Amino acid sequence: IMFEKSISSAGWLRKRPGSARARRWIVLFSAATISVPGTQLLAAKKNEVLHVAFIWLKRPGNLTDQQLLIRATKRFHKIRGVVRVDTGVGMPIARPGIVQPFDVGMVIVFRDRSALENYEKSPGHLVATSEILQPLAKRYVIYNFSND
């Protein structure tokens, strides 16, 4: 399941179809995460669900905004059914053909699909979305997938 949201100046969200470029990001991000020595395979257990987000800030590269988002997502591990939360800033890569224009990336591993649904309705997620993500983000793309 993939969706992309852009936040207009009025604060309204609208769904937009995913692009081939956005789908390539998830493949590159997943391959890089899985292939790094010492890194656990993210969805190693059956039925676990991965929630991967890429966030573009209204003020690209703003360190304060990046850190606000990262701190907010670190609290998600307290939500029932969340197995793991990894968040960080996009790394500039100086190689031809590789572009990483996003400001913050996030991967959350959930116990199962019902845990993802619980997360989406949880007060912690809703508050972080309305009070931190929406005011700071120009756009974000989210991918959910599992190995079941």
Side-chain angles (χ1 to χ4, degrees):
I1 301 168
M2 193 285 291
F3 66 90
E4 179 176 335
K5 292 188 177 181
S6 292
I7 303 173
S8 69
S9 59
W12 293 100
L13 301 177
R14 62 184 162 88
K15 290 185 179 182
R16 294 181 1 186
S19 66
R21 182 177 175 192
R23 285 187 292 277
R24 282 193 303 268
W25 277 111
I26 188 66
V27 172
L28 291 172
F29 183 77
S30 298
T33 303
I34 292 168
S35 65
V36 174
T39 301
Q40 294 178 343
L41 180 63
L42 291 178
K45 295 181 182 174
K46 187 164 177 55
N47 299 323
E48 284 185 338
V49 174
L50 275 80
H51 179 77
V52 180
F54 299 98
I55 303 162
W56 288 261
L57 296 173
K58 290 177 182 174
R59 300 184 303 176
N62 185 287
L63 298 177
T64 302
D65 293 353
Q66 290 173 344
Q67 289 307 310
L68 283 170
L69 280 168
I70 290 169
R71 278 197 303 274
T73 60
K74 295 297 182 188
R75 294 184 217 132
F76 293 159
H77 76 279
K78 296 177 183 177
I79 298 171
R80 188 172 42 93
V82 172
V83 174
R84 180 175 168 179
V85 178
D86 291 311
T87 311
V89 296
M91 287 182 2
I93 295 179
R95 286 193 340 201
I98 296 180
V99 180
Q100 284 190 285
F102 65 91
D103 288 285
V104 176
M106 173 181 67
V107 178
I108 302 176
V109 180
F110 296 96
R111 179 186 64 240
D112 54 27
R113 289 176 192 243
S114 66
L116 171 63
E117 292 167 5
N118 175 59
Y119 161 82
E120 291 173 341
K121 299 175 202 168
S122 71
H125 172 255
L126 296 173
V127 167
T129 299
S130 66
E131 294 182 9
I132 299 170
L133 178 64
Q134 289 179 353
L136 298 179
K138 176 174 75 174
R139 173 177 160 234
Y140 55 96
V141 179
I142 298 173
Y143 298 90
N144 294 316
F145 60 96
S146 72
N147 64 353
D148 62 356

